[in-house]
């Protein structure tokens, strides 16, 4: 019983800590070009993939996906904005991911404030016929979550072998 109470208390603390971000009075003034697609959005998202390990790539085909979500909503699934397949035989590598000019309009539910974007990859790099399993190359979430800004500037995504 004590374990259940500790678990509930920990969950409550986590929920409260996620709700304590400062309130912005005027979102039109505080919205930055990095978090919005208004103005002059980039047509390509330049991503630089790198990693500290020695990678063995048997299957060069990978899929990169861009997702968006309202930055202020919790427990809402992100919306797929676009995805593209690539072939890469070595790491590091750089890609240009085409993004639609109306990327924010593809987010459901529609963002009331700034939108947040992130990328994912799906790669059966070890060639066993199953992507995203032990032995495959995957995003290193321990090093940095793959949040991206829809600007023309290159952005780094760190990779590792899934263990």
């Amino acid at each position: 019983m004590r374990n259940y109470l500790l678990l509930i208390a920990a969950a409550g603390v986590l929920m409260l800590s996620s709700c304590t971000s400062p309130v912005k009075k005027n979102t039109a003034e505080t919205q930055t070009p990095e978090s919005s697609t208004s103005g002059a959005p980039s047509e390509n998202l330049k991503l630089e993939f790198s990693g500290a390990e020695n990678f063995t790539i048997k299957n060069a085909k990978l899929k990169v996906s861009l997702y968006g979500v309202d930055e202020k909503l919790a427990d809402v699934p992100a919306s797929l904005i676009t995805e593209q397949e690539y072939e890469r035989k070595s790491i590091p590598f750089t890609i240009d991911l085409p993004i639609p000019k109306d990327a924010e309009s593809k987010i459901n539910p529609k963002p009331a404030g700034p939108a947040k974007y992130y990328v994912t990859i799906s790669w059966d790099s070890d060639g066993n016929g199953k992507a995203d399993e032990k032995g495959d190359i995957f995003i290193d979430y321990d090093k940095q979550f793959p949040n991206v800004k829809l600007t023309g500037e290159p952005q780094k995504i760190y990779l590792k072998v899934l263990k």
Side-chain angles (χ1 to χ4, degrees), residues 33-147:
E34 293 88 19
S35 63
S36 170
T37 56
S38 61
S42 172
E43 291 185 20
N44 285 315
L45 181 60
K46 189 175 198 85
L47 300 172
E48 296 176 351
F49 291 88
S50 65
E53 300 179 31
N54 290 327
F55 297 100
T56 303
I57 300 172
K58 293 181 181 176
N59 178 15
K61 292 183 182 183
L62 72 140
K63 181 170 42 175
V64 179
S65 304
L66 173 69
Y67 288 88
V69 68
D70 187 329
E71 186 171 79
K72 298 184 187 248
L73 290 179
D75 298 331
V76 175
S79 301
L80 177 65
I81 306 294
T82 187
E83 59 185 14
Q84 185 80 27
E85 289 191 0
Y86 297 91
E87 286 194 26
R88 295 297 184 265
K89 296 182 180 183
S90 65
I91 295 173
F93 64 89
T94 301
I95 63 165
D96 288 320
L97 179 66
I99 54 172
K101 291 186 182 203
D102 60 342
E104 191 167 328
S105 70
K106 294 183 180 293
I107 300 173
N108 189 12
K110 301 293 180 216
K116 182 168 109 176
Y117 300 94
Y118 66 92
V119 295
T120 64
I121 66 168
S122 181
W123 196 352
D124 175 26
S125 61
D126 63 2
N128 71 352
K130 298 177 185 175
D132 308 326
E133 291 189 345
K134 185 177 177 179
D136 288 325
I137 297 171
F138 202 68
I139 291 177
D140 189 348
Y141 292 99
D142 296 329
K143 189 162 191 164
Q144 180 180 346
F145 192 82
N147 288 326

